[in-house]
Amino acid sequence: MTTQTLPSDPLAAEPAVAAGTSDQTQTWVRVWDPLVRVFHWSLVAAFATAYIVEDDLLGVHVWAGYLVLVLIAVRLVWGVIGTRHARFTDFVRGPRQVLGYLGDALRSNAKRYLGHNPAGGAMVIALLLLVGATGLSGMALYGTQELSGPLAPLMAGLPAFWGGVFEEMHEVLANLTLVFIVAHVAGVLFSSLSHHENLIRSMFTGRKRQG
């Protein structure tokens, strides 16, 4: 499906560019603005850092978690006031559309979207919620066990068993987030193969094939 661009969007259209011998006849458009791309790869780096170092480097783990929460806050605002394909209204769809798209994808008959497809949009929301919940549960855990961080004043009066509750919650959410990340990467690879385009590259360059 060819998606028309809006002339009012400064990132919407660009003249054709040569991106290699096979791309010389293609028209490319700017889809992902710099903020979306910086957010995406910064979130990848911050979550990976926090997940890998765990409690072995507690200071690094904590600050990576803070960065994750700041990034999510910025993305939520940008999802309302940002450029066309960054806005939630561009890619958030209802369950019926998401399931319909997944069914079409399994039959190799899914439409191509210039921005996020319905399944990709659902995954974006799911990951924002999961990563955000992981970060907040981490702050609660840090406040309970270390009496440090922004939530420390609220956690100070809680019974000791809450430390174990928040620890279990934080671990479960982090691992569940990792499962969704793996599913997200699999979906990106599947969609790239189905539509003969490199979606990972587009999140670096910001450009996608128009047709």
Side-chain angles (χ1 to χ4, degrees), residues 33-204:
D33 62 69
L35 191 148
V36 167
R37 286 177 279 147
V38 170
F39 159 80
H40 182 275
W41 296 116
S42 297
L43 187 62
V44 169
F47 181 83
T49 298
Y51 193 91
I52 290 170
V53 302
E54 294 184 319
D55 294 339
D56 296 331
L57 296 171
L58 184 59
V60 174
H61 181 88
V62 168
W63 282 102
Y66 288 157
L67 177 58
V68 162
L69 291 174
V70 169
L71 287 169
I72 289 176
V74 171
R75 184 63 182 90
L76 290 175
V77 173
W78 197 240
V80 177
I81 68 172
T83 53
R84 178 185 177 186
H85 295 295
R87 294 179 187 176
F88 297 127
T89 53
D90 184 72
F91 59 82
V92 175
R93 300 289 182 265
R96 181 176 297 181
Q97 288 177 278
V98 174
L99 292 175
Y101 177 86
L102 289 173
D104 290 340
L106 292 175
R107 293 187 293 269
S108 300
N109 192 35
K111 295 179 180 179
R112 178 179 178 269
Y113 288 78
L114 197 57
H116 291 300
N117 60 53
M123 182 60 77
V124 168
I125 299 303
L127 285 173
L128 287 175
L129 291 174
L130 281 170
V131 176
T134 302
L136 290 174
S137 64
M139 279 207 306
L141 174 61
Y142 192 49
T144 303
Q145 293 189 344
E146 304 293 333
L147 297 180
S148 300
L151 298 183
L154 296 176
M155 301 296 116
L158 292 179
F161 78 88
W162 279 104
V165 172
F166 289 131
E167 184 174 10
E168 185 69 19
M169 184 186 303
H170 187 57
E171 184 175 349
V172 169
L173 286 169
N175 289 328
L176 184 59
T177 300
L178 186 61
V179 171
F180 272 70
I181 290 171
V182 171
H184 169 60
V185 173
V188 167
L189 295 176
F190 180 85
S191 187
S192 295
L193 292 172
S194 298
H195 299 296
H196 308 289
E197 61 180 340
N198 191 331
L199 295 179
I200 296 175
R201 181 181 67 180
S202 72
M203 191 52 72
F204 281 103

Side-chain angles (χ1 to χ4, degrees), residues 14-15 17 19 23 26-30 201 207-209:
E14 291 183 345
V17 297
D23 296 336
Q26 299 288 348
T27 299
W28 294 78
V29 292
R30 180 85 67 177
R201 181 181 67 180
R207 295 187 178 96
K208 292 181 71 175
R209 188 182 74 249

